[in-house]
Amino acid sequence: IQSITETRELSEEEKLAEGRGIEYEYWMDKSHDGLGRDYGYRHNGSPDEIFVFLNFGNASSHFDTPAYLDTTVNRVRVPIRFVSEMMGAQVSWDQDNRRVTIYFPAVSREVMKAVPAPGYDYPDLIHPETHLPDPYRFRLEKRTVSMPERTIVLTVDHPVAVVDGREVPLDAPPVIRNDRTMVPVRFIAEQMGAKVYWVGANPIFRLADGTLSGSYQVHIFTPFFPLFEYPSWYLENRAVRY
């Protein structure tokens, strides 16, 4: 039996959608330079080794001390220098006073944002299988994202931070672990304008063979992420925003 396959050229609408999808992924990768793309599908961590992702870049691979779940306060702690520097901050350490200062300079950057096409809303954009926005349902729009200058001072074992000269209570103080200052990830990331999602012991990804994967993870999204307003279908619907 002879079969004939006819190759059809893409329509103009299909070409535009395909290009839009490729451009979205380009801007997604630009939002976490140097980390490589990693959605966390196959990463199963543990309370002693939490996987941390920044704008779908694998941040944990750059840690010299793993993030962990501090069960005494039920908070994920991360090495402050690595996370802060990945988000564009400068970090200094005062050994005598056991104090860390994080300086986040004012930043203004032009980025491409994925916004819903007419007739759609943000929840409509994400394809439930690819976890990427459907290129027929969004358009790309250039926007200027600005973040203010900020200085954060943290003292080891002290439950109060100083943010731009103002005292802010912490739900868990910084601690030293393996000669590294470890801080609650939510506080430091949100002070820099980011969103944080926590994935606990229950996995959230369904793999091709039907099994589930992806546990003990933290996902951080900065305002420079092209879909910061609604970063991910599976995170918005299954992970815990905290």
Side-chain angles (χ1 to χ4, degrees):
I1 299 175
Q2 184 179 8
S3 63
I4 300 175
T5 302
E6 179 181 355
T7 303
R8 180 181 63 84
E9 185 178 358
L10 296 177
S11 67
E12 287 303 313
E13 182 184 11
E14 289 169 330
K15 289 178 182 178
L16 288 172
E18 185 178 78
R20 193 180 299 117
I22 293 171
E23 187 177 359
Y24 169 83
E25 293 187 53
Y26 167 80
W27 286 104
M28 180 175 68
D29 292 344
K30 285 284 287 183
S31 72
H32 63 247
D33 284 342
L35 295 183
R37 190 187 307 169
D38 193 329
Y39 299 98
Y41 289 165
R42 300 183 182 278
H43 293 281
N44 288 312
S46 69
D48 292 323
E49 186 171 359
I50 306 295
F51 284 97
V52 180
F53 302 91
L54 177 66
N55 292 349
F56 288 137
N58 190 335
S60 291
S61 61
H62 295 258
F63 294 173
D64 58 0
T65 296
Y68 69 99
L69 177 63
D70 186 340
T71 55
T72 63
V73 291
N74 198 32
R75 287 292 179 267
V76 174
R77 296 188 183 273
V78 295
I80 185 59
R81 178 176 297 276
F82 286 89
V83 170
S84 299
E85 290 180 348
M86 284 176 183
M87 296 179 67
Q90 301 162 15
V91 182
S92 59
W93 167 249
D94 179 350
Q95 177 64 41
D96 293 338
N97 295 300
R98 303 181 80 207
R99 181 180 300 153
V100 60
T101 299
I102 306 153
Y103 171 67
F104 193 77
V107 177
S108 187
R109 188 188 306 172
E110 279 197 340
V111 298
M112 297 297 286
K113 290 289 187 178
V115 299
Y120 297 103
D121 201 350
Y122 281 108
D124 303 323
L125 302 192
I126 304 300
H127 193 287
E129 294 181 3
T130 65
H131 309 301
L132 290 169
D134 185 331
Y136 291 94
R137 297 185 175 188
F138 75 91
R139 57 187 175 85
L140 290 168
E141 182 178 284
K142 183 177 289 187
R143 293 183 181 174
T144 300
V145 176
S146 298
M147 296 296 298
E149 180 182 44
R150 178 149 292 177
T151 301
I152 305 166
V153 180
L154 300 162
T155 303
V156 172
D157 297 327
H158 188 56
V160 177
V162 179
V163 180
D164 294 336
R166 176 176 54 90
E167 290 192 345
V168 178
L170 296 169
D171 51 10
V175 297
I176 299 294
R177 181 180 173 105
N178 298 333
D179 294 325
R180 292 290 180 265
T181 304
M182 310 294 286
V183 297
V185 64
R186 179 186 68 172
F187 173 80
I188 198 63
E190 290 187 348
Q191 287 298 320
M192 297 182 187
K195 293 179 180 178
V196 182
Y197 294 87
W198 159 245
V199 180
N202 296 321
I204 64 171
F205 303 110
R206 187 169 298 280
L207 304 180
D209 62 3
T211 61
L212 286 171
S213 182
S215 60
Y216 289 107
Q217 301 176 351
V218 166
H219 292 257
I220 303 171
F221 294 94
T222 72
F224 304 109
F225 188 69
L227 203 56
F228 176 74
E229 291 75 10
Y230 193 86
S232 165
W233 176 86
Y234 54 83
L235 291 173
E236 289 282 359
N237 286 277
R238 302 187 67 176
V240 177
R241 174 80 188 282
Y242 83 165

